[in-house]
Amino acid sequence: MPDTDIAVIGAGVVGLAVAARLAAESPGLLLLDRNPRHGMETSSRNSQVVHAGLYYPEGSLKARLCVEGRRRLWDLCARHDIPHRRTGKLVTATREEDLPALDRIEQAASTNGAPVERLSAERALAIEPAIRTVGALWSPESGVVDAHALMDHFLQRALAAGATFLPRTEVVGIAPESGGYRIEVRGPAGTEAFTAGRIVNAAGLEADTIAALAGVDVDAAGYRLHWCKGSYFSASSRCAKLVSRLVYPVPAPESLGVHVVVDTGGRLRFGPDAEYLPARAADYRVDPAKKGEFVAAARRLLPDVGEDDLEPDIAGIRPKLQGKGETFRDFVIAEETARGLPGFVDLVGIESPGLTAAPAIADEVARLLRG
Ligand SMILES: Cc1cc2nc3c(=O)[nH]c(=O)nc-3n(C[C@H](O)[C@H](O)[C@H](O)COP(=O)(O)OP(=O)(O)OC[C@H]3O[C@@H](n4cnc5c(N)ncnc54)[C@H](O)[C@@H]3O)c2cc1C
């Protein structure tokens, strides 16, 4: 008998949602994370936006799981008092040349099941008078959630159903054996090992490393991750009064573009930019020298932003499957029997909209494990 039926590696929002979803059926579930607490990496270093599902290609997992996850999240927030604001979002064309991009987003949104409304400049300005716009899309289903509170909710649900959370526990080896896997971990008591019947790899930036530990050839599988940093600058309280909804430009190829982020407390930030890191080093410092770029990007959306309104804030790192300049890659959500790893589920490349999609990703994992 294995020590546990299911081990979930990684207690970010995805691993937590998976643990909350599976613990009722598998009460001895173990959730492992190398950090002292849950949610200390990408899941707490993002825009906290609940995306409606406007942009992703038709039929992709990102499109389907974003729309399902968004519906599930709004319902969870309402039922469990998780702080959130359904602010809605404006995607603004700031120049005439951006208008065709709005047409494309409108088309993708309607195919994906995300309601949007096309607005003239006058109507957009009636909603947010301080923005720059020649026309916009209004997405009423977008908003923000307190990601920490959401993660606390998932953790409490998993624990209440009988799961155990092991922080400060880094997975350093995985060996398939009859009936499951031997997992080697490094923790406060040194190096130990236990067995698990099934494994869910929700290790975020290290999901490819964990897959490789289990014996997957990550290059042949197309699982190699590229780290792409996104920095934010916070805005002064004067600026925070300029706008009360999410305001995005038309998206850039590698990210949704520096946008206006409001949080559940009404604070305002601009970001994130997109900077592929040459090496895998989790350096979350925000370079103050980026201020000029951020002021320019902020002014494209809100012309009244001044030089003194912005200060360096947080940064996060995206686990991207596509390298710089490459085209769209979808989430990888794969049960790996075909690679000789039955009951092993890889979740790789869970970048945006991973926070929004987390409850729907958890359902997908449950479906794959049922076989
Ligand atoms: C700048 C930025 C902005 C974003 N904005 C949004 C947004 O507005 N809306 C949205 O929906 N999504 C957004 N995202 C995406 C979203 O944040 C992620 O998709 C989501 O947080 C991924 O969660 P995760 O649980 O997969 O990863 P993580 O939160 O990174 O969790 C993975 C966990 O695995 C653990 N781990 C790694 N290796 C090991 C090991 N060997 N042993 C044990 N534990 C290990 C880590 O410690 C970590 O806690 C954004 C991302 C970034 C970077």
Side-chain angles (χ1 to χ4, degrees), residues 57-290:
E58 179 180 1
S60 62
L61 285 171
K62 284 182 179 172
R64 179 166 65 80
L65 300 179
C66 181
V67 169
E68 282 174 26
R70 178 248 298 166
R71 292 186 182 127
R72 296 275 310 283
L73 269 193
W74 287 143
D75 184 51
L76 271 179
C77 287
R79 280 194 292 123
H80 298 283
D81 285 335
I82 298 165
H84 65 285
R85 285 175 68 201
R86 250 163 122 149
T87 53
K89 155 172 143 178
L90 283 167
V91 183
T92 175
T94 56
R95 308 165 305 171
E96 295 291 330
E97 306 91 277
D98 292 338
L99 288 171
L102 288 190
D103 297 335
R104 289 193 293 276
I105 299 168
E106 190 175 10
Q107 175 62 45
S110 89
T111 314
N112 292 346
V116 283
E117 191 185 342
R118 188 65 178 256
L119 302 180
S120 63
E122 293 69 29
R123 287 188 63 210
L125 289 168
I127 296 176
E128 286 292 356
I131 64 170
R132 190 191 300 273
T133 189
V134 296
L137 281 179
W138 170 239
S139 162
E141 287 294 322
S142 305
V144 286
V145 63
D146 179 334
H148 293 273
L150 177 67
M151 290 192 281
D152 290 348
H153 165 79
F154 286 138
L155 180 60
Q156 290 317 316
R157 249 176 58 198
L159 297 178
T164 301
F165 176 40
L166 300 176
R168 292 194 170 87
T169 303
E170 181 179 12
V171 173
V172 292
I174 300 173
E177 58 175 34
S178 120
Y181 299 88
R182 184 173 187 276
I183 302 180
E184 204 180 3
V185 295
R186 206 164 33 218
T191 302
E192 298 174 273
F194 63 91
T195 58
R198 296 175 287 173
I199 292 179
V200 180
N201 168 14
L205 290 166
E206 299 292 354
D208 54 350
T209 310
I210 294 294
L213 285 180
V216 174
D217 177 339
V218 292
D219 290 314
Y223 290 0
R224 178 75 61 197
L225 289 172
H226 307 273
W227 288 17
C228 181
K229 183 169 174 178
S231 297
Y232 294 86
F233 275 66
S234 60
S236 64
S237 50
R238 184 194 77 81
C239 264
K241 295 197 184 77
L242 293 175
V243 67
S244 56
R245 293 166 186 83
L246 299 164
V247 181
Y248 281 58
V250 299
E254 273 149 9
S255 76
L256 298 182
V258 167
H259 48 260
V260 177
V261 192
V262 286
D263 69 13
T264 51
R267 283 175 297 270
L268 202 76
R269 285 186 286 159
F270 292 93
D273 63 353
E275 176 192 353
Y276 275 87
L277 298 178
R280 281 192 174 210
D283 180 351
Y284 292 114
R285 283 172 300 184
V286 174
D287 182 357
K290 288 187 168 185

Side-chain angles (χ1 to χ4, degrees), residues 9-16 32-35 37-51 169-172 202-206 210 213 228-232 248 259 272 315-319 331 350-357:
I9 303 171
V13 70
V14 173
L16 288 159
L32 319 172
D33 201 288
R34 61 183 173 185
N35 287 319
R37 292 188 313 282
H38 60 289
M40 291 182 70
E41 300 198 2
T42 309
S43 297
S44 53
R45 298 178 161 278
N46 57 58
S47 304
Q48 304 191 98
V49 171
V50 177
H51 288 296
T169 303
E170 181 179 12
V171 173
V172 292
L205 290 166
E206 299 292 354
I210 294 294
L213 285 180
C228 181
K229 183 169 174 178
S231 297
Y232 294 86
Y248 281 58
H259 48 260
I317 301 176
R318 306 169 181 89
F331 293 153
I350 312 297
E351 56 165 334
S352 190
L355 174 68
T356 311

